[in-house]
Amino acid sequence: MKAKIIITPKKAVVDPQGKTVQSALAHLGYQGVTAVHVGKYLEIDLAPGTNAAAARRALEEACHKFLSNPIIEDYRLDIE
Amino acid sequence: MKAKIIITPKKAVVDPQGKTVQSALAHLGYQGVTAVHVGKYLEIDLAPGTNAAAARRALEEACHKFLSNPIIEDYRLDIE
């Protein structure tokens, strides 16, 4: 079982890394890019037989407490 | 239209950031985590009316050339 977590800066927060990628793409001739947001991706392998609901609860807590900064970041957690 | 790019270290490559998160989770009492891989996530907003096939070609090239390091990283590109 795998948990996939995507952490992105909130829309209202300045994202200098995204701006840099956006201007780099423009300089290199890639047209039509209106915005770039850069975030983190975590793939967590869970031991076989782990309870999905319990894993989700624990990982939601971990995301909120220390994997993301909830003041400036959003996260999305998928367990599959 | 949005392009979503996930860049992860190849499985054979040492991932110190993933190892750190894994041991932090274990120290904090989260059981059952067998591996953690940390990567990057890019969300690229494309101008309305962009040709999806052309955008995919351009972004595949950008991923290969400078968004990822193909020697040590894999990428996955989704356009939706």
Side-chain angles (χ1 to χ4, degrees):
Chain A
M1 204 162 56
K2 270 187 187 191
K4 295 179 177 183
I5 301 167
I6 288 175
I7 300 165
T8 45
K10 283 185 196 283
K11 297 290 172 206
V13 172
V14 178
D15 178 3
Q17 215 183 341
K19 289 280 173 215
T20 305
V21 172
Q22 187 183 348
S23 67
L25 283 168
H27 279 298
L28 289 164
Y30 299 99
Q31 304 298 319
V33 173
T34 55
V36 179
H37 306 280
V38 178
K40 275 175 285 185
Y41 173 76
L42 281 93
E43 205 173 276
I44 297 180
D45 295 347
L46 298 166
T50 307
N51 180 288
R56 175 174 291 278
R57 260 199 313 279
L59 287 174
E60 288 274 2
E61 191 189 82
C63 281
H64 198 78
K65 275 197 188 160
F66 88 108
L67 295 177
S68 80
N69 177 348
I71 297 167
I72 56 165
E73 291 172 327
D74 290 320
Y75 66 85
R76 201 172 73 228
L77 169 65
D78 291 311
I79 293 187
E80 46 191 60
Chain B
M1 206 162 57
K2 270 184 188 194
K4 295 179 177 183
I5 301 167
I6 288 174
I7 299 166
T8 46
K10 283 185 196 283
K11 297 289 173 208
V13 172
V14 178
D15 178 3
Q17 214 183 340
K19 290 279 173 216
T20 306
V21 173
Q22 187 183 349
S23 68
L25 283 168
H27 279 296
L28 290 164
Y30 299 99
Q31 303 298 318
V33 173
T34 55
V36 179
H37 306 280
V38 178
K40 276 175 286 186
Y41 173 75
L42 281 92
E43 206 173 274
I44 298 180
D45 294 348
L46 298 166
T50 307
N51 180 287
R56 175 174 290 279
R57 260 199 314 279
L59 287 173
E60 288 273 1
E61 191 190 85
C63 281
H64 198 78
K65 274 196 188 160
F66 86 109
L67 295 177
S68 80
N69 177 348
I71 297 167
I72 56 164
E73 291 171 327
D74 290 320
Y75 66 86
R76 202 173 71 227
L77 168 66
D78 291 311
I79 293 187
E80 46 190 61

